Amino acid sequence: MSSLVAPARGGSSTASGRSSIIDSLRNCTFSGVMIHKEELKKKIMMPEYLRLAMKEAIQAKDDEADTISQLFEKARAVGAEPPQIPESPLVVFINSKSGGRHGPKLKARLQILMGEEQVFDLSSVKPHEFVQYGLACLENFARLGDTCAKETREKLRVVVAGGDGTVGWVLGCLGELNKQGRLPVPPAAIIPLGTGNDLSRSFGWGGSFPFNWKSSIKRTLDRIGNDPTCYLDSWHVLISMPAEGDLDIPYSLKATEETPLDQELEVEGELPEKVSCYQGVFYNYFSIGMDAQVAYGFHHLRNEKPYLAQGPISNKLIYSGYSCTQGWFCTPCTSDPGLRGLNNILRIYIKKVNCSGWEQIPVPSSVRAIVALNLPSYGSGRNPWGHLKPEYLEKRGFVDAHADDGFLEIFGLKQGWHASMVMSELISAKHIAQALAIRFELRGGSWKKAYMQMDGEPWKQPMDKEFSTFVELKRVPFRSLMVKGQ
């Protein structure tokens, strides 16, 4: 192992297993207490007329409603006090159902610190509504000569309080601004409320909700306007499958019209007369196989018995226990074809680093889960790809992995014991390839279904004996802008 993996940057590679506790303890300082609440409000709170105008636009689903025009005219009336332009205007999207008992308390605390109009509960205000109506309201005011609205729009930063799924949802909606040419796109910071929080970990916002959260939240809000920014790749997923009725998919995938696969790579064999297509975007990982099957079972168990899932620790205990019941550790290979290696049903085609054409790569016979990873954090802060030595990178034709390098790292997990060693960071996963684009081709044979997941959202994928199911992964042209934490 020593010939492959370099020492982890900034400390031991085993540290991430304890990172949630360490993150919480690190935040137990008195620095947040020293930030005066009124000074913080002055820094991050928008003038009242802008807050109310955004609220009205979102509620009315109309950024040019009469009430909004009245607010604009009142703010610019003769004798009206000039509005104070905030130094670091923020809006927060919070999944108040995340974080166990902390979600509702955090929402109330944020509303005190920055006004309720700048705190959006995702159960009532969706991020695309904010983009379509709230931001459009600021942009309309700016076009009419409102300097305060113009500078507020330009300086605005977004805070997402939730898990990885919530962060991805908000980033996807903000990404629509690139397509529409509505720049700048506000950078996003994170308050971790989920179970894994790998996006939060990757950008320095920690892996867990801090113990002393009341003072820590003040410190976090105060920092966000001044912290540097960095980029994050996102990846488009296209699933093309024989039409077999509706697929039970997660919210991160949407049914779409028939969409052609990449024409540079020809499909071998016949295609079905009718196909169903689904599209989505992921930020952390896409996987096929046993890890997705365990995740699928865990999600269904949690939905059926929500009283078992009271927080991140109980979630992880249930997840670990459930994995032991799915053949992940003990495999009766002859009893169920779904417990055999993925090479029985899967072909992988990739575009490699410094290559423009597609090529097929072998699927190791021992592998029962394939993961395409974008971030250096997976499964609550682990790095299964590892910190590889320069000579190994050169030998394999790899480049050093980063969240904005334009590549996906493809690795395999053999079975539960191997996965446990990888997740303990005692060894690296089975390195398969590094790719600019990927096409997975699956055909059933004796398998009737496979399991897949994107950023922790799993589903059951039906397979056909005669026709293949295709999954293409390609990088989204526009990168997300993130606020870099600690």
Side-chain angles (χ1 to χ4, degrees), residues 4-69:
L4 303 183
V5 181
R9 301 171 196 164
S12 168
S13 65
T14 59
S16 63
R18 305 183 298 271
S19 61
S20 292
I21 297 175
I22 293 172
D23 288 334
S24 293
L25 292 174
R26 185 184 293 129
N27 283 321
C28 288
T29 67
F30 292 100
S31 58
V33 178
M34 303 303 294
I35 299 171
H36 196 276
K37 184 167 66 175
E38 294 306 317
E39 289 298 317
L40 178 62
K41 280 187 174 183
K42 188 182 298 185
K43 182 177 181 179
I44 66 177
M45 186 181 287
M46 302 178 196
E48 183 180 30
Y49 81 100
L50 291 182
R51 302 198 312 270
L52 293 176
M54 285 200 308
K55 180 181 177 180
E56 288 287 337
I58 294 170
Q59 288 181 342
K61 292 182 170 49
D62 181 0
D63 54 281
E64 296 181 348
D66 290 341
T67 51
I68 297 173
S69 300

Side-chain angles (χ1 to χ4, degrees), residues 302-317:
R302 186 174 61 177
N303 290 337
E304 292 171 2
K305 301 178 180 179
Y307 56 85
L308 293 175
Q310 295 296 318
I313 295 177
S314 61
N315 283 347
K316 290 172 184 175
L317 289 173

Side-chain angles (χ1 to χ4, degrees), residues 231-302:
Y231 288 103
L232 167 66
D233 287 334
S234 56
W235 295 83
H236 177 261
V237 178
L238 169 63
I239 299 176
S240 179
M241 56 180 282
E244 296 181 355
D246 293 332
L247 179 65
D248 184 16
I249 55 173
Y251 74 88
S252 52
L253 282 174
K254 305 296 181 187
T256 184
E257 296 179 356
E258 184 173 342
T259 305
L261 299 166
D262 191 312
Q263 299 299 305
E264 294 181 12
L265 178 58
E266 292 186 8
V267 175
E268 297 181 8
E270 295 183 4
L271 294 173
E273 291 184 8
K274 294 183 179 181
V275 299
S276 297
C277 292
Y278 301 85
Q279 298 189 58
V281 173
F282 72 92
Y283 296 85
N284 191 356
Y285 67 92
F286 177 93
S287 72
I288 301 173
M290 184 58 73
D291 70 318
Q293 180 175 342
V294 171
Y296 181 84
F298 166 73
H299 275 250
H300 275 259
L301 178 65
R302 186 174 61 177

Side-chain angles (χ1 to χ4, degrees), residues 213-247:
W213 63 274
K214 287 188 177 180
S215 59
S216 178
I217 291 304
K218 286 201 297 183
R219 182 164 63 94
T220 297
L221 296 177
D222 185 64
R223 291 174 43 208
I224 288 171
N226 300 319
D227 281 347
T229 59
C230 54
Y231 288 103
L232 167 66
D233 287 334
S234 56
W235 295 83
H236 177 261
V237 178
L238 169 63
I239 299 176
S240 179
M241 56 180 282
E244 296 181 355
D246 293 332
L247 179 65

Side-chain angles (χ1 to χ4, degrees), residues 147-215:
T147 303
C148 181
K150 181 176 183 295
E151 292 197 27
T152 298
R153 170 67 179 88
E154 292 172 350
K155 295 178 179 179
L156 185 66
R157 294 191 169 192
V158 170
V159 185
V160 186
D164 288 341
T166 303
V167 176
W169 184 16
V170 174
L171 290 178
C173 293
L174 292 175
E176 292 298 312
L177 294 169
N178 276 309
K179 298 178 183 178
Q180 298 166 11
R182 295 166 58 192
L183 304 177
V185 177
I190 304 170
I191 298 173
L193 291 181
T195 302
N197 298 311
D198 287 302
L199 278 164
S200 179
R201 296 172 195 270
S202 298
F203 293 97
W205 297 106
S208 64
F209 196 61
F211 292 134
N212 65 331
W213 63 274
K214 287 188 177 180
S215 59

